[in-house]
Amino acid sequence: MRRAFLTAAILALVIGACSGGGSGPAAVPDSPTSVPTPAPTIDLPIADPLAGTIEFGASLDEENLEIEKRNSKFKTKSRQIAWVAHLSEPAGATSLTLILASRNKAGVEKTLIKTDVDVADPAFDTLGNAIDLALLVDRKAGTYVMRYLRDATLLAEGTFTLVK
């Protein structure tokens, strides 16, 4: 299994990948492919039962790319939310699309962020990061969906909730 640790600069909303080697990932950042901007609502991929999963938690073991204190519910004032995406197959590219969308009670989704994420090695099948996701959604309570896609192929999906 190949893994990558993603780093982020919250203020610039830049999300990049680092390459892994040997027994675990190394912290060697790649340059970002783009600075994300709020994206208009788009047609989101239909849930795929074969897609990988995204786990959330309070912190990330960067060396092993594992979630510590796994949880999917966080306070709106949380300063860090970690995630690990277990892709359904290797990335297969040096860039994937990361989507963060809000989901209302009726199940309707609105894309908040759509950005390209550099992947140092197309063989990576696990990606991880820990940033202030609550800040990215203006600390608004609600349900949020994160997805990783390669073109139109959904590689991983996960849901987390922010509460007051």
Side-chain angles (χ1 to χ4, degrees):
M1 173 177 8
R2 297 294 306 235
R3 300 170 179 228
F5 173 69
L6 300 179
T7 59
I10 297 299
L11 297 178
L13 279 175
V14 176
I15 302 176
C18 297
S19 62
S23 63
V28 181
D30 290 337
S31 42
T33 57
S34 68
V35 175
T37 56
T41 302
I42 60 168
D43 292 331
L44 298 171
I46 297 172
D48 180 352
L50 301 177
T53 59
I54 301 175
E55 301 173 335
F56 297 92
S59 61
L60 176 68
D61 173 350
E62 295 177 21
E63 186 174 325
N64 297 309
L65 270 177
E66 294 178 358
I67 291 294
E68 297 172 343
K69 302 178 187 173
R70 191 175 300 166
N71 193 359
S72 62
K73 188 181 284 189
F74 305 91
K75 299 274 187 185
T76 55
K77 60 185 177 183
S78 295
R79 297 290 178 204
Q80 177 174 284
I81 298 174
W83 71 91
V84 171
H86 303 280
L87 306 180
S88 57
E89 59 189 62
T94 57
S95 179
L96 297 178
T97 300
L98 173 68
I99 294 176
L100 184 61
S102 62
R103 180 184 290 161
N104 68 19
K105 292 180 182 183
V108 176
E109 293 184 3
K110 178 182 177 186
T111 298
L112 304 174
I113 296 170
K114 179 181 179 185
T115 188
D116 291 333
V117 177
D118 285 340
V119 179
D121 186 336
F124 288 160
D125 62 3
T126 304
L127 307 173
N129 202 353
I131 62 173
D132 191 345
L133 281 177
L135 176 65
L136 294 182
V137 297
D138 294 326
R139 304 210 181 281
K140 292 182 182 176
T143 300
Y144 298 90
V145 180
M146 181 181 284
R147 294 183 176 95
Y148 281 94
L149 295 96
R150 182 186 58 240
D151 299 320
T153 302
L154 178 62
L155 297 174
E157 177 177 279
T159 304
F160 67 95
T161 303
L162 293 179
V163 295
K164 290 188 179 208

